[in-house]
Amino acid sequence: MRIDQLLEGSNEPQFSFEFFPPKSEEGDRNLLEAVAQLVPLEPAFISVTYGAGGSTREKTIEIVSRIRNDFGIEAMPHFTCVDSTVDELRATLDEMAELGIENVLALRGDPPQGASEWTQTDGGLEFSQQLVELISAEYPFAIGAAAFPETHIHAASAEADLGFLKEKVDAGADFLVTQLFFDNEAYFDFVLRAREIGITVPIIPGIMPISNVAQLERMTTLCGATIPPELLAALEARDDDARAVEALGVAYATLQCSELLAGGAPGIHFYTLNRSPATQAILGALKLQRPWLNQ
């Protein structure tokens, strides 16, 4: 089912999970086991990343098809402009359509491995807005796009970044999924600014349960997300106790999601890092508490 229709057709928030294609058979087994453990929580959809430079294209499509066919859960591949001509992009989109895939997350994408800067492929596209436009004009997919509450790290300004987002929506993006963040005010302020310039599509907050301090600092450096000082201090105080870090990460994410849902967020997209226990705990607590009823 199209994700935009799932979002529009329900009075309840929609929960979803992101996975990445593993690099080994053991990783494949672990991913499928994690998906199986999350099935009872009735996710609206699962997204699968594409890899730098489209390096996991076939694996991504394979996993999406398997999730849809084996688990009966809607699944969405990420899809990027990197290292592909327009004809190659169309060939991949044709393959997705033939497999019955109904949703795609359109992204510019990260540089190929070994490259420090993003460059347009000869005969390809330069911006995610162009990719959205191509898909919208020629294919029946529901189109998701990325949003950045704390501004894309390469954007000239927050205003310019929001302008680019508006272009993606005007080109045909049906819903937005945000980059991870840890300060809810960043999300609420971002949604308000987006609505003020005429962006009306659902904006799903992306949440990553914290499980490792070094990993957290590495990821936030790459994406530009900020860590509230009090949260960082609490994590660093527990850095020699992995279980304590994970417990705090689950507690913080649960509180964060509760506030977001009470504030009107249409759902939560969990960055699972291919692990299920933290997400199971958080979503289980949210479904018991049902904070969205307190709007």
Side-chain angles (χ1 to χ4, degrees):
M1 184 175 182
R2 288 173 58 104
I3 291 169
D4 55 345
Q5 294 174 353
L6 286 170
L7 293 168
E8 292 169 4
S10 176
N11 293 323
E12 299 280 304
Q14 300 297 301
F15 299 100
S16 53
F17 312 126
E18 179 176 294
F19 288 86
F20 59 84
K23 297 179 180 180
S24 66
E25 290 186 6
E26 181 181 2
D28 288 346
R29 289 191 296 271
N30 291 339
L31 183 150
L32 294 174
E33 181 180 341
V35 172
Q37 290 172 346
L38 292 169
V39 167
L41 295 173
E42 300 180 326
F45 66 92
I46 290 173
S47 74
V48 183
T49 66
Y50 205 59
S55 56
T56 63
R57 183 180 70 87
E58 290 300 331
K59 189 74 171 178
T60 296
I61 296 173
E62 174 193 332
I63 293 170
V64 165
S65 296
R66 188 159 185 183
I67 290 171
R68 295 179 82 247
N69 296 331
D70 293 359
F71 295 98
I73 299 172
E74 191 54 60
M76 171 179 67
H78 293 206
F79 185 55
T80 76
C81 305
V82 183
D83 204 23
S84 295
T85 65
V86 170
D87 286 343
E88 289 169 336
L89 293 172
R90 286 195 177 103
T92 301
L93 290 164
D94 288 342
E95 180 183 357
M96 293 178 183
E98 289 171 3
L99 290 169
I101 293 170
E102 297 182 79
N103 305 280
V104 62
L105 187 67
L107 309 163
R108 189 194 70 171
D110 297 322
Q113 290 184 348
S116 58
E117 295 184 4
W118 196 93
T119 56
Q120 181 180 359
T121 301
D122 289 341
L125 302 176
E126 186 174 4
F127 303 111
S128 56
Q129 174 264 334
Q130 295 171 321
L131 182 60
V132 171
E133 197 169 52
L134 168 67
I135 298 169
S136 179
E138 300 183 24
Y139 295 88
F141 301 114
I143 306 169
F148 302 88
E150 297 178 272
T151 305
H152 192 283
I153 56 173
H154 296 139
S157 67
E159 291 72 22
D161 192 37
L162 203 56
F164 289 135
L165 184 64
K166 180 68 160 57
E167 291 180 1
K168 288 191 283 189
V169 173
D170 290 345
D174 298 295
F175 60 94
L176 304 171
V177 181
T178 78
Q179 178 61 271
L180 61 89
F181 60 92
F182 298 96
D183 182 350
N184 285 353
E185 286 306 310
Y187 171 82
F188 289 126
D189 178 68
F190 174 76
V191 172
L192 180 61
R193 291 187 293 113
R195 300 305 185 219
E196 286 175 346
I197 67 167
I199 296 174
T200 60
V201 300
I203 303 175
I204 306 170
I207 298 298
M208 186 188 78
I210 299 166
S211 59
N212 180 285
V213 178
Q215 180 186 61
L216 170 68
E217 293 176 332
R218 184 169 60 252
M219 293 185 70
T220 54
T221 298
L222 289 172
C223 72
T226 58
I227 309 170
E230 61 276 13
L231 173 60
L232 183 58
L235 289 166
E236 289 177 340
R238 296 161 172 79
D239 199 17
D240 60 348
D241 186 340
R243 293 179 66 181
V245 168
E246 289 189 16
L248 178 59
V250 167
Y252 188 86
T254 302
L255 293 172
Q256 192 179 5
C257 292
S258 181
E259 183 180 45
L260 289 166
L261 294 167
I268 302 290
H269 188 67
F270 290 99
Y271 296 108
T272 68
L273 303 180
N274 286 21
R275 301 171 69 244
S276 66
T279 309
Q280 283 181 286
I282 296 163
L283 188 47
L286 292 172
K287 290 199 169 188
L288 285 172
Q289 183 191 25
R290 298 174 66 80
W292 52 91
L293 298 181
N294 298 324
Q295 292 184 42

